[in-house]
Amino acid sequence: MTCTCGSGFQLHRIEEWDDGQSLIRYACPGCGFAFGIETVGHEASPLFEQPVWTDEAQHCLDRLPPYVEPLVREEVESYAGQKHINLISTGLMTEARNQGTVAWHPDAESRLSRVPAPVRAMARVELERTALDRGLPEVTVALMEEIKARYFGMSARAS
Ligand SMILES: [Zn+2]
C-alpha cells in the first residue's frame, strides 16, 4: 500500500479488542498519515503474506523463556497455518496450545440452541474463548451461567 505522498505504509501496531476483533494500525513514515483496519483473525489473512502477531500475542511470546519462545512460535504459527489464519491473537495462541477448540457438554449445547440466533454465534465464540483461556476441556452449563451474568446481566435486569 502506498500513501498519497509516495511513501509506503508500514505496519505500526496491532491491537486486540475485548470483542475478539483486532485493529491493525498502519502509518506512513513519510508524512505521518495513519489509519486502522478493524478485522478478525481469518478475515485479516489476505492482508499478510507472513504470520503476524498482535501486540498482545507478541507480548505473551516475549515473556516466555528464551528456549521456549521459538517452540511456541513454531507451534502456534503451524496451527494458524492449518487454519489459514495469518493474524495471530492471544485467543488463537491459547487455542493452538490446547490443540484445537473446546468440546461442548450436551446440556450446554442444548441450552445454546435455545439462545436467540442473533446472540448465539457471539455467545458460542465467547464461551469457547473463555473455556480455552481457563484451560477447560469443555463448555459447561455452569460456565454459561457465569458468562450470561457477565455479558447479559444488564439486559436481563432491564426486561
Ligand atoms: Zn504519506
Side-chain angles (χ1 to χ4, degrees):
M1 276 179 292
T2 308
C3 181
T4 48
C5 78
S7 300
F9 282 110
Q10 283 175 1
L11 187 58
H12 179 49
R13 283 179 56 90
I14 306 177
E15 295 168 13
E16 276 185 43
W17 290 359
D18 286 344
D19 60 2
Q21 305 230 66
S22 297
L23 182 69
I24 304 168
R25 291 185 182 276
Y26 291 91
C28 170
C31 67
F33 181 78
F35 68 98
I37 300 174
E38 200 179 314
T39 185
V40 288
H42 59 279
E43 286 175 10
S45 296
L47 295 171
F48 308 110
E49 286 167 23
Q50 300 287 324
V52 292
W53 295 63
T54 66
D55 291 2
E56 274 159 286
Q58 184 63 50
H59 182 66
C60 292
L61 206 58
D62 291 343
R63 276 185 317 198
L64 295 169
Y67 55 93
V68 178
E69 190 267 351
L71 301 174
V72 171
R73 178 185 286 276
E74 192 185 320
E75 182 185 50
V76 174
E77 289 187 351
S78 124
Y79 178 82
Q82 285 163 28
K83 301 213 146 211
H84 307 289
I85 294 174
N86 270 352
L87 177 61
I88 297 170
S89 61
T90 48
L92 187 75
M93 211 174 162
T94 314
E95 194 181 310
R97 305 220 67 200
N98 280 279
Q99 285 301 308
T101 47
V102 281
W104 281 72
H105 187 280
D107 291 348
E109 185 76 69
S110 83
R111 184 180 280 223
L112 184 73
S113 68
R114 296 199 296 272
V115 170
V119 182
R120 200 182 301 144
M122 199 180 77
R124 179 183 286 277
V125 168
E126 192 56 46
L127 284 159
E128 290 183 352
R129 201 169 60 168
T130 307
L132 283 166
D133 282 349
R134 295 184 190 176
L136 301 172
E138 64 176 12
V139 175
T140 60
V141 170
L143 185 68
M144 291 181 91
E145 287 293 339
E146 188 192 321
I147 296 290
K148 196 171 73 179
R150 225 169 90 204
Y151 286 89
F152 307 109
M154 266 162 37
S155 57
R157 270 200 304 277
S159 61

